[in-house]
Amino acid sequence: MIDENLLEQFGAGIIFIKKGDVLFEEGDTAKYFYQIKSGEVKMNNYNDEGKEFIQSIFAVGSCFGEPPLFIDKPYPANGVAILDSEIYAIAKEAFFKLLFVHPEAHLSMTVNLAQRLYFKSVMASEISSQEPEHRILKLIDYFKETVSKLKPADRYKVELTRQQIADLTGLRVETVIRSIKALEKKGFLTIEDRKVYR
Amino acid sequence: MIDENLLEQFGAGIIFIKKGDVLFEEGDTAKYFYQIKSGEVKMNNYNDEGKEFIQSIFAVGSCFGEPPLFIDKPYPANGVAILDSEIYAIAKEAFFKLLFVHPEAHLSMTVNLAQRLYFKSVMASEISSQEPEHRILKLIDYFKETVSKLKPADRYKVELTRQQIADLTGLRVETVIRSIKALEKKGFLTIEDRKVYR
DNA sequence: TTACTGTTATGATTTGGGTCATAAAGTGCT
DNA sequence: AGCACTTTATGACCCAAATCATAACAGTAA
């Protein structure tokens, strides 16, 4: 989201983390701004019974975990690498200085937050009040449109596992599997070689 | 969120709406920045079966409905007055100019978005993976802490109706009523004269 | 007072998604 | 090739929350 040269210019370091490594945990104090140079990161929670909920998945170029920097609250979720990754990290103070000196970077941050708030709004309404099939379709369309930047007419291969879809929608794997089958039967998507296309 | 003098200085108008009046609808193009001078506003969705989901409730001093301004997308939900209200409205262009000329206002906008994203994260995880009683308690604590700015030790009177709690948590009124009773029995809150205290 | 509306309340019944069990297909590693 | 692990898949059963029905109470407008 923020120009990489700018990040380096303001003293960004690079953190190397392997798949499964934890960058920060729920409750930790936020001290750095993070942006993905390569790899992929998720933010998640576990409920009392140990069930995972994935807040979001962040890909190359995305920044994440800034809200706590702005509002001086601890992280509301864990940050975990889902692929081996390189992460730009820049200290809170340097980050604020960067925003102050570069209003255009500040604006792109704001736009980014607005974008994520928008996604959360859509998913919140889905999760709370729609049937599994509806939820899953909405999530897939969101990833197709926003993450992969494809048009509705394009053919999109869903790279999420059934388990990830479950954790993103608050459903169970079995329910996701069954719903996806039902959606295929209804013609909303196709399954080829166990992969979902939409 | 933004200083009222500043709003007026940049040509803000005031809109008078009565309880129940709709300010904008899901799908509308966002053209104005809104901030509450008096009254209260909610943003909501209706699912296919007509069940309401309340995204948030905004009180005096809060702004709302900005994300679509920043990302050029239509409103993801309706904006409806829940009390007779006076709303500052300022055109999109003037709003951006204001942010550009007043970086401190821009920062407070960013902080505000971060705050809301934080709330959405917490509630998303709650809604998707916790039991009714847990969800309700979290919501009440959020309102106590963030909307009413009270300390945990303070006594807080919940001004939300059971129906509103249901629509905010994605539950049904009956479930909310029964859960609140159960929570009282367990000593997590008290009910006096049908009002909930925490 | 009555009539009306919104909110809280409670019991009976139903059902959709969770849970549990089990297995097959695919993937990666030695 | 063999082994361990992950992902997808399916059937059977269960249960918590939704649904349906009904009513009492509070507030307020006529």
Side-chain angles (χ1 to χ4, degrees), chain A residues 95-175:
Chain A
F95 170 60
F96 278 121
K97 186 161 186 198
L98 191 162
L99 294 189
F100 183 73
V101 178
H102 293 275
E104 78 286 358
H106 185 177
L107 185 60
S108 86
M109 270 300 321
T110 311
V111 168
N112 180 33
L113 286 176
Q115 165 74 52
R116 278 150 65 188
L117 194 51
Y118 195 90
F119 168 66
K120 286 274 175 207
S121 299
V122 172
M123 286 312 295
S125 137
E126 283 296 316
I127 288 178
S128 89
S129 45
Q130 301 286 3
E131 299 107 50
E133 293 179 22
H134 202 284
R135 288 196 217 181
I136 293 169
L137 217 48
K138 200 89 175 190
L139 180 79
I140 290 177
D141 285 343
Y142 173 79
F143 269 81
K144 175 176 180 177
E145 187 188 319
T146 311
V147 182
S148 299
K149 315 224 184 269
L150 295 175
K151 299 252 155 58
D154 299 332
R155 182 177 164 80
Y156 167 60
K157 180 181 181 183
V158 178
E159 297 290 359
L160 299 164
T161 67
R162 310 285 196 275
Q163 183 64 60
Q164 285 178 327
I165 294 176
D167 294 340
L168 280 158
T169 53
L171 297 166
R172 298 285 154 164
V173 216
E174 298 95 324
T175 306

Side-chain angles (χ1 to χ4, degrees), chain A residues 170-183:
Chain A
L171 297 166
R172 298 285 154 164
V173 216
E174 298 95 324
T175 306
V176 170
I177 289 170
R178 292 186 243 256
S179 299
I180 287 182
K181 294 247 147 127
L183 284 167

